[in-house]
Amino acid sequence: MALTLSSRARTGPLRHRDFRLLVTGSAVSSFGNGITPVALAFAVLDLGGSASALGLVEAAFAAAEVATTLLGGVLGDRVSRKLVMEGSSAGCALTQVLMALTLIAGIASIPLLTVLGVVTGVLSALSRPSSQAMTRLTVPDSELAGAVAVRSLAQQAGTTVGYALGGVLVAVAGSGWSIMVDAATFAFAAGCFARMRLAAARPSARRESMLADLGEGAREVLRHAWLWLLIGQALLYHLFYGGAQSVLGPIVVGVGMGRSDWGAALAFLMAGFVVGGLICLRWRPRHALGAGTALLSTTALFPLAMALADRPEVVWAGALVHGVGLSIFSVFWDLSIQQNVPEEKLSRVYSFDIVGSFIARPLGLALTGPIAEAVGFDRWLVVVAVVIGGSSLVALLSADVRRLRLVA
């Protein structure tokens, strides 16, 4: 029987000041992060970059994130998560200002954008496990389910608006000024996080070495079959899909149909996230992880539409369905981790989730251009659709995935 939330439960988490600041800072930062992928992609293309060059820039950013995330997970379980988030946001604001200025001044180059992207990736990765683990510290346990859904919805709404405005801003003001907006959102987020007052924000002191801490986090992941199995599925998803969106999308849709059409496709993708988040506010099936994994298979429709459609409306529909399915899965996945992992290990488990999910993404980004150019863009997008849709259905064969229950 599906579980529903009362009106009070749905709005309850927002009564807490620290949760409001966390959601506000995260949502505004997500708005800026929705603009930058569009702006950066067209900045590289405007500098004469090919699909392979764009893939390498995106791969460098992703590799930096993966390489630093485990350290971020250990830091999040050792020191103040709030402090980690503040410092990361402030640092990202500075690097985005530098990137924007090089583009505005006309001195940018693809290698320079790559270096600045790597720095931003490192700073972002240090705070991401802390940020994901922070929700649990800002609300009572009885309101955790609603808080996870509300925060996800707010962040995806922010990203949706960012993607929707990204193409327009790039067309009107250029990539440099568009990325400057992202810098301002990072600065705003740092201010929100600085105002949080969390008595439990600093985990208890730990005497183990950092390597021992990592080992303890890895053992916690391996203790849950549903956890490591779906991390493996996410590895395949990002290996194949990352390049489809970041490398092929701007070319197949952005160049083949129009830059504004690609910006609109990303906006529909994120609108799907918002719709999925709204669904999760009211719908919480007892076997939520299994339901979310089944819906994750619908993500195949976006790359399939890019491959086969000759009208942007079909691509937008595929993007919307992709967003809904991925959003519902992400909320139920996050809630499953929050409810089944001890708080003192949460940042490290999230770091292994992030690394396991994204470790192959840089390889996929780097190889997408050459492979797609060799076999054909449309043909490779079909392969991507088969892999990401099929791997989700295969994960459902596990009883641990199908039967994991949420705590009411």
Side-chain angles (χ1 to χ4, degrees), residues 255-298:
V255 175
M257 296 181 182
R259 292 189 175 191
S260 61
D261 291 327
W262 177 238
L266 295 179
F268 272 98
L269 174 67
M270 304 316 299
F273 272 102
V274 174
V275 173
L278 290 170
I279 292 172
C280 290
L281 287 176
R282 296 191 61 87
W283 181 54
R284 200 156 300 131
R286 187 170 299 277
H287 300 289
L289 186 62
T293 303
L295 289 171
L296 186 63
S297 65
T298 63

Side-chain angles (χ1 to χ4, degrees), residues 119-304:
V119 175
T120 302
V122 167
L123 293 171
S124 297
L126 285 176
S127 70
R128 191 170 176 185
S130 292
S131 177
Q132 291 186 263
M134 184 66 83
T135 304
R136 191 161 161 179
L137 298 178
T138 60
V139 296
D141 288 344
S142 61
E143 298 184 43
L144 179 60
V148 169
V150 168
R151 184 181 177 188
S152 175
L153 177 59
Q155 290 181 194
Q156 297 306 334
T159 309
T160 298
V161 177
Y163 274 132
L165 292 179
V168 176
L169 281 173
V170 171
V172 172
S175 295
W177 287 110
S178 300
I179 293 174
M180 188 69 79
V181 173
D182 189 22
T185 63
F186 273 120
F188 180 88
C192 288
F193 302 147
R195 294 181 59 206
M196 294 171 69
R197 298 192 296 262
L198 290 173
R202 185 181 183 88
S204 58
R206 306 183 57 83
R207 293 190 294 268
E208 295 88 345
S209 68
M210 296 185 75
L211 188 59
D213 277 358
L214 281 175
E216 186 178 30
R219 288 190 293 274
E220 181 65 24
V221 171
L222 294 174
R223 192 168 71 85
H224 305 281
W226 58 269
L227 188 53
W228 58 257
L229 181 62
L230 284 172
I231 289 175
Q233 189 279 332
L235 183 151
L236 286 175
Y237 174 92
H238 290 288
L239 172 64
F240 284 83
Y241 176 72
Q245 177 175 316
S246 299
V247 179
L248 301 185
I251 297 172
V252 173
V253 181
V255 175
M257 296 181 182
R259 292 189 175 191
S260 61
D261 291 327
W262 177 238
L266 295 179
F268 272 98
L269 174 67
M270 304 316 299
F273 272 102
V274 174
V275 173
L278 290 170
I279 292 172
C280 290
L281 287 176
R282 296 191 61 87
W283 181 54
R284 200 156 300 131
R286 187 170 299 277
H287 300 289
L289 186 62
T293 303
L295 289 171
L296 186 63
S297 65
T298 63
T299 58
L301 294 179
F302 188 22
L304 197 62

Side-chain angles (χ1 to χ4, degrees), residues 368-404:
T368 291
I371 292 176
E373 287 171 347
V375 305
F377 287 8
D378 292 346
R379 187 173 298 173
W380 184 246
L381 285 167
V382 171
V383 171
V384 170
V386 171
V387 171
I388 66 175
S391 61
S392 303
L393 297 177
V394 169
L396 279 174
L397 297 176
S398 168
D400 292 293
V401 172
R402 296 194 311 273
R403 297 175 184 174
L404 184 71

